Amino acid sequence: MGTRESTSSGRTAAARDRDGEGRARNARPRDGLGRPLPYGEEGVPRQPEGVVRRPEDSVTEAQRLLDEGKPFHAHEVFEDAWKSGSEAERELWRGLAQMAVGLTHAARGNVTGGARLLRRGAVAAEEWAAGGQPRPHGIDLPGVIAWARELAAEVERGEGVAVDAGARAPRLRGAA
């Protein structure tokens, strides 16, 4: 057997995407819901990783992406805020990231994963808000938590039908 093992994509292991230190870096193009596309196809631009933003800017950027039907990308923005923000707000951003991933799964038609992550994110945000901040950085946290729970129940009743991510995006700062 040769030293060039084949991967599930048919590419050789030596041709896998790696950074300068040898860590896996998947450069495959992705669609608007973060699903990998075949190499050579045109995907949507990926969110840059590790961007440090002011919390208000994170909320604005995440809302823009949610409105465009890109909850996977919004999750990346929340994840950056979670990783770069204050320790005191990590659970807030983690909860928002989980809700965005829940919407991603619901839009992909994954009933179980979508509902589970929407609820997990709602619980995390609710527990964080119990500290007395229902509108951190202008976020209507009670409204977003209610949205996540309602969507989780709707997804479970929908018999595996994918939701329209853009049409079902939450209003992070409340009704427009």
Side-chain angles (χ1 to χ4, degrees):
M1 181 180 269
T3 59
R4 295 178 62 94
E5 297 176 35
S6 178
T7 65
S8 62
S9 67
R11 299 175 75 205
T12 63
R16 283 197 231 172
D17 305 317
R18 302 282 176 179
D19 67 12
E21 297 174 10
R23 290 186 302 256
R25 301 292 296 177
N26 191 341
R28 280 177 71 175
R30 303 226 173 220
D31 72 6
L33 294 175
R35 293 176 289 219
L37 298 170
Y39 286 98
E41 284 198 25
E42 189 169 335
V44 300
R46 296 180 82 154
Q47 277 302 115
E49 293 181 35
V51 176
V52 178
R53 299 175 181 88
R54 292 179 328 117
E56 293 78 9
D57 296 336
S58 292
V59 175
T60 299
E61 178 66 4
Q63 186 69 67
R64 181 186 69 77
L65 293 163
L66 288 164
D67 291 346
E68 290 177 4
K70 298 177 184 172
F72 178 81
H73 296 78
H75 142 268
E76 298 286 344
V77 171
F78 289 136
E79 191 171 272
D80 283 342
W82 162 16
K83 291 178 178 179
S84 68
S86 71
E87 181 69 36
E89 291 188 344
R90 290 223 168 109
E91 289 304 303
L92 165 67
W93 298 113
R94 184 175 67 86
L96 292 167
Q98 288 173 328
M99 286 185 261
V101 172
L103 177 56
T104 300
H105 282 283
R108 292 175 178 174
N110 176 354
V111 171
T112 303
R116 184 176 292 142
L117 282 161
L118 284 161
R119 286 193 179 100
R120 187 179 300 158
V123 167
E126 188 170 57
E127 287 175 355
W128 184 86
Q133 279 193 305
R135 291 195 65 87
H137 311 295
I139 302 169
D140 175 13
L141 214 43
V144 173
I145 292 166
W147 162 85
R149 289 196 168 119
E150 290 166 13
L151 184 57
E154 179 183 316
V155 165
E156 289 175 327
R157 288 190 307 269
E159 301 173 12
V161 176
V163 301
D164 179 329
R168 294 310 317 268
R171 303 306 315 155
L172 297 174
R173 292 189 167 116

